[in-house]
Amino acid sequence: MPHPVAIHFREIDSAALGAATGRLVLLGDPGERIAPAARALDRRLRGALARAVASEAFAKLKPGEALELGFPAGLPAEAVQIVRLARRASVAEARKAGATIAKALGASGALVLTGAHRLAHEISFGLALRAYEFGAHKTGAPKVFGDVGFQVSDPEAVATLARPMAALAEGVFFTRDLVNEPANVLTTDDFAARLAAMHELGLDVEILEEGALKALGMGALLGVGQGSDSPSKVVVMQWRGGAEGEPPLALVGKGVVFDTGGISIKPALGMEEMTMDMGGAGVVAGVMRTLALRGAKANVVGIVGLVENMPDGRAQRPGDVVRSMKGDTIEVINTDAEGRLVLADVLWYAQERFKPAAMIDLATLTGAIIIGLGHENAGVFANNDALAAAILKAAGAEGEGAWRMPMGEAYDKKLKSRVADMRNSVGRPAGAITAAQFLARFVKPDTPWAHLDIAGVALPPEETELAPKGATGWGVMTLDRLIRDGYERR
Ligand code: BES
Ligand code: MN
Ligand code: ZN
C-alpha cells in the first residue's frame, strides 16, 4: 500500500522560503538564539518569530510541540508553525517534533527549515510515521498530503541517514496495515499471499500448508484452526544477509487472523478487536520487510503461524487432548487460550529446523498483560538475562515501552493436567506469566529465548505519539535496532 508523504532534503534557500505559499515550519527554543537561516524570515515577519519564541505560551510547550501563526502578514505562506526543539534535543523529542508537523499537514505540503539541526533525519522519520493513515476501506476522496521539503545544511548527509529509516518506516507501515486489516480481508490465505509477495525484495518465503503441518505433527496448531474454513498455515521467511552458515536469529509470530475464542467463545462486547490477534505475526513480517529493504547484514528467519479460531461443528472442544510437534500432549481446557497452542508448534519447528542463535516470539497472547501493564508497555519474558537486557535497551532507545516480567518453577507447576502432559489454561492469577511458562515448555534449554506479549501495545485505544488511533507497529523499531546493534556484521 503506498503511503502518501513525499519527503525530500534540499539546501537552504531563503528565496524559496520567502515565496512558499504552503506551510512553513521553523524550529525554536526559548534558551537559544534564532538560527541564522530563520533570521531573514523573522525580518519579513517583523520580529513575530522572535516574539513567539520568547512568549509565555512558547515556554509552556513541551519539546516537540508547536505554536502557529496563521496567514502571517509579510509572507505568502498559509501558516508558520514554530516547533519547540532545542539544538541538543533527544531522538524522541525530534521524532515528536516530526509528528507534530505531520498532524497539521495538509494538501499544500510544507517547507521545513531544520538548518544545521543534527536530528533532521529523525524529525523526518517522526513525520513519516505519524502521517500514516489506514484508508483502505474508506470510500470517497483519500486524505492527500502535499510534499514536504526539508531545508538542511548538508542534504547529502541527511539523506544518507534517512535512507535506512525509510526502510524502517515501510516495515512499520506494513505491520500497521496487516493489523488494521479486517479478518474478512486478511484471511490466512490473504496473509500468506502478502508475505509471499516479499519474495520480490529478496526474501526466501515458503508456505507450509495443512498437509505439511500434519506430516510434521503440529497437532496443537492444527487443532486451533480446525473450526475455520480458512486453512491453517505456517509461513517461513528467510533473510540471509549475514555470514554463510551463521545460525540465524529466529523471530516467531502468533498469527490468529481472528480470535472468536472458539467453543469457549468470547463475549460480544469488543470482540471486533480480535482482528488484531495476528499482531505478533504482523511485527515479524514488518521486521523482515525492513531487513530486506535496507539490506541488513544479518541472518534472520521469521516464522508465523496463521490460523483462525472459530466455533464450528468441527472445532476443537474444551477437554480435547492434542499432541504437539514436540510430542508433549496438551489438554485444551479453554479453546480461547489458543495463541500458546499455535506458538508451541512454531517455536519447536523453528528450533528443530534452524538451531537459531536466539529466538524471540511476539504475540497478542493475554488480556492479563493489559491488566498488568496497560497499553504503555509490552511484557518481556525471557530465559536469558542478556537477551532480555538487549531487548529492553533497544526498546528504550526506540521509545517503545517494554517491561520485564518474572518467570519460574512455581508458575510452571500450575500447568499440570489430570489427563495429559500439561493443560493450556490455568485461571486468572498471573495469566500472562502462566502463558509464558506454557511457551517455555517448548523452548530447548540451550536456546536463548524471549517472549514479548504485545496484547496491550499492538492496537491501543488511543492515538500514540507516533501513530494515529489504530495499529502502532510496536516492536518493528525495537527489533530492527536489536538486530542492528547485536546481530549484524560490519
Ligand atoms: N487473543 C487473546 C488475548 C488478547 C486479549 C489480546 C485482549 C488482545 C486483547 C488470547 O487468545 C486470549 O483469549 N487469551 C485469554 C487466555 C485465557 C483463556 C487463559 C485471555 O487473556 O483471557
Ligand atoms: Mn483467545
Ligand atoms: Zn488470541
Side-chain angles (χ1 to χ4, degrees), residues 64 85-98 117-119 121-126 165 396-399 465-466 477 481:
L85 196 71
R87 272 188 264 281
R88 306 186 50 178
S90 68
V91 166
E93 289 166 353
R95 288 180 183 178
K96 183 175 178 186
H117 202 289
R118 72 186 204 295
L119 294 179
H121 58 294
E122 295 287 0
I123 300 173
S124 79
F125 183 59
M165 309 196 86
E398 293 298 323
E465 215 149 77
L466 298 179
M477 301 196 301
R481 158 130 357 214

Side-chain angles (χ1 to χ4, degrees), residues 183-197:
N184 61 329
V185 175
L186 192 78
T187 58
T188 56
D189 285 312
D190 182 75
F191 199 155
R194 293 186 195 204
L195 300 181

Side-chain angles (χ1 to χ4, degrees), residues 452-489:
L452 307 181
D453 193 336
I454 61 169
V457 294
L459 188 91
E462 302 297 339
E463 67 171 303
T464 63
E465 215 149 77
L466 298 179
K469 186 169 154 62
T472 57
W474 187 101
V476 177
M477 301 196 301
T478 293
L479 291 174
D480 183 60
R481 158 130 357 214
L482 181 83
I483 291 163
R484 242 183 303 139
D485 291 351
Y487 294 87
E488 290 199 54
R489 63 188 161 96

Side-chain angles (χ1 to χ4, degrees), residues 254 256 259 266 274 277 336 338-339 364-365:
K254 168 181 173 182
V256 177
D259 181 14
K266 287 180 181 294
M274 287 302 124
D277 210 21
D336 197 13
E338 85 296 342
T364 50
L365 201 65

Side-chain angles (χ1 to χ4, degrees), residues 254 256 259-261 264 266 270 273-274 276-278 309 334-340 363-370 375 424-428 431-432 434-435 453-456 458-459:
K254 168 181 173 182
V256 177
D259 181 14
T260 63
S264 312
K266 287 180 181 294
E273 278 176 26
M274 287 302 124
M276 53 74 101
D277 210 21
M278 33 52 67
N309 189 18
N334 188 322
T335 64
D336 197 13
E338 85 296 342
R340 64 199 76 182
T364 50
L365 201 65
T366 67
I369 201 69
I370 310 178
H375 301 284
N424 78 328
S425 166
V426 176
R428 290 167 56 121
T434 52
D453 193 336
I454 61 169
L459 188 91

Side-chain angles (χ1 to χ4, degrees), residues 6 13 34 81-82 104 113 136 212 231 272-273 284 287 300-301 311 315 349 367 371 404 410 426 433 440 461 477:
D13 174 351
I34 293 172
Q81 189 180 31
I82 311 163
L113 177 62
E272 72 282 358
E273 278 176 26
V284 172
V287 173
V300 181
V301 55
Y349 176 77
I371 303 301
R404 179 119 187 232
V426 176
I433 306 175
M477 301 196 301

